[in-house]
Amino acid sequence: MQAFRYLQRCANSDDISWRIGIFALERLRPDPNNWLAPSTLWAEYSLWCRKKDVQPLPVANFLQKFDEAATILGVRKLRAGDEVGYARIAFKPAA
């Protein structure tokens, strides 16, 4: 939870990647027993951006910025064979 607070403080940055932090705060929660595929994560981010009426980052840029934020969030990027995923996070229930 401390990591999510840190992201909230970073959200005031002029860098366009601040949206990744806000997205994480609003849509993700820690979950030690879950993982998300990068494509699933980007799809949710894209929907979130549409609801906020902002242009989403291209998928490659989003994943690069999310990789940077993942360290702060305590998320681990895992590879199992050909599959890659982010462990220890889940989506918050839709409101």
Side-chain angles (χ1 to χ4, degrees), residues 34-84:
N34 197 53
W35 74 278
L36 296 172
S39 59
T40 303
L41 191 60
W42 189 84
E44 184 66 23
Y45 165 76
S46 182
L47 288 172
W48 177 84
C49 285
R50 271 190 247 141
K51 290 179 184 176
K52 301 286 184 186
D53 197 27
V54 295
Q55 182 70 32
L57 295 172
V59 66
N61 294 47
F62 168 78
L63 292 175
Q64 177 186 5
K65 294 296 184 181
F66 190 82
D67 284 350
E68 295 168 11
T71 303
I72 297 166
L73 293 169
V75 173
R76 291 182 48 205
K77 189 174 183 179
L78 301 176
R79 179 179 296 277
D82 290 340
E83 290 190 55
V84 174

